[in-house]
Amino acid sequence: MPHNFFLYINRLNHFDFIGQNRNLPRNSTADIYLGRIADGSLYEPAADGLICLVALGQFVQVITRYLLEIPVLGLEESLLYPTMWLYMAGAVNASRENSHIRANVLEIFLKTPKQVAVLALIGEALSLVIGCWLTYWAWDFTKYSIRVWRESPTLYIPTFYVDVALITGLVLMMVFTAIQLGRHIYQVATGNYPPSATHTTESQQEELA
């Protein structure tokens, strides 16, 4: 069971935990969805559509308001919905790719790949704890949004459809954070570090020398 678990994490993170070229059977429903999550095919098309929609809305707003001086009623508040979903989709994708902006100052003083992996493990663990706390509050906010069922002032669109983006994005971010944490735990436990960690520590030692 642990072996299959890390194989699934391997597929989701595009990282070879086992150190061998092994493939999971692709005839299971779970495997199909895991593969689609890993390559981003579940939400990247939606994110592309949201980018086009927001860009088009902003373009129409600039043309009508500043050139034609005929502002479109409700356009600005309607753009809030795709903008919020686009923001959360970008955050989820950064969690999937593990490409959030970091200030890794402590890594300069670390000498071995294990120390780098332990530092990354601590960072992911703290991120998971804080993220779960924020997810808890987001769930409370979602329940409040359902109970109150507010509407936008001009078009009377329920704001629930933009509020629910917060809990959706945070849940997905926590899933990928947990996967990253599992990867670092496996690295520390087995000593199977990615080549990038070894090259990073060697280059840092050369700089300090």
Side-chain angles (χ1 to χ4, degrees), residues 9 11 35 52 55 63 71 93 123-124 129 168 178 184 198 202-203 205:
I9 294 179
R11 177 163 298 169
C52 295
I63 296 299
N93 189 61
E124 295 292 349
V129 171
T168 304
H184 295 307
T198 305
E202 290 177 353
S203 61
Q205 292 177 6

Side-chain angles (χ1 to χ4, degrees), residues 7 25 92 104 135 162 180:
L7 279 175
V92 171
N104 295 328
T135 304
V162 66
Q180 297 292 341

